[in-house]
Amino acid sequence: MEELTKAEERIMQIFWKLKKAFVKDVIEELPDDPKPPYNTISSVVRILEKKGYLGFTAYGKTHQYHPVISKAAYRKMYIKKLLSGYFDNSPASLLSFMVREENLSEEELQKLKDIIDRSSEQ
């Protein structure tokens, strides 16, 4: 699975939210003002389709697109790449970084401890 550019990931986030959409629907979801041109978004959508992230149903000359790759599958690939590229394949290093750099609250730290405790019970 190919990693997405920032623009592609932004569009995929919309498809994961909507489940299926026409290009005009994607444009409506974008917070930008003014909205990007239709052709720009259409080009990104076609790239995502060629990369295998989106499938489509044709209705005459128009296409309704839908995600082929789930958000969970992409997240898993992205985190694995993050772990290997920046944390020497060590989840502990990633967690240590998060705890040090993100100024986690006591509540968030407790949630992490609970997750670790539950996973060690399995």
Side-chain angles (χ1 to χ4, degrees):
M1 181 181 332
E2 242 181 287
E3 190 172 348
L4 300 175
T5 66
K6 288 184 193 280
E8 292 165 350
E9 188 171 329
R10 185 173 171 211
I11 300 303
M12 278 306 298
Q13 292 289 351
I14 293 170
F15 277 105
W16 286 321
K17 176 183 169 189
L18 297 178
K19 309 290 188 240
K20 58 184 178 178
F22 296 96
V23 171
K24 68 177 181 60
D25 301 324
V26 173
I27 294 169
E28 287 174 14
E29 287 290 317
L30 291 169
D32 304 340
D33 202 17
K35 302 286 186 186
Y38 182 94
N39 288 342
T40 301
I41 302 305
S42 181
S43 293
V44 174
V45 168
R46 284 194 309 277
I47 290 167
L48 288 166
E49 190 264 325
K50 285 183 181 136
K51 284 184 172 183
Y53 281 87
L54 294 175
F56 67 88
T57 304
Y59 297 98
K61 290 184 178 183
T62 193
H63 294 78
Q64 184 179 49
Y65 294 91
H66 59 273
V68 174
I69 305 293
S70 71
K71 188 174 185 177
Y74 183 74
R75 179 177 41 223
K76 184 176 181 179
M77 182 275 305
Y78 189 84
I79 294 296
K80 282 185 177 189
K81 186 172 181 165
L82 181 72
L83 274 173
S84 67
Y86 295 97
F87 297 98
D88 300 322
N89 284 320
S90 170
S93 292
L94 173 60
L95 185 57
S96 175
F97 173 82
M98 294 291 295
V99 169
R100 279 193 326 270
E101 299 296 324
E102 294 301 316
N103 298 319
L104 301 177
S105 69
E106 286 297 322
E107 182 181 339
E108 290 169 320
L109 288 170
Q110 187 58 51
K111 285 180 184 178
L112 288 173
K113 288 177 189 174
D114 293 345
I115 290 168
I116 292 167
D117 290 343
R118 282 194 305 272
S119 68
S120 65
E121 292 170 0
Q122 295 175 351

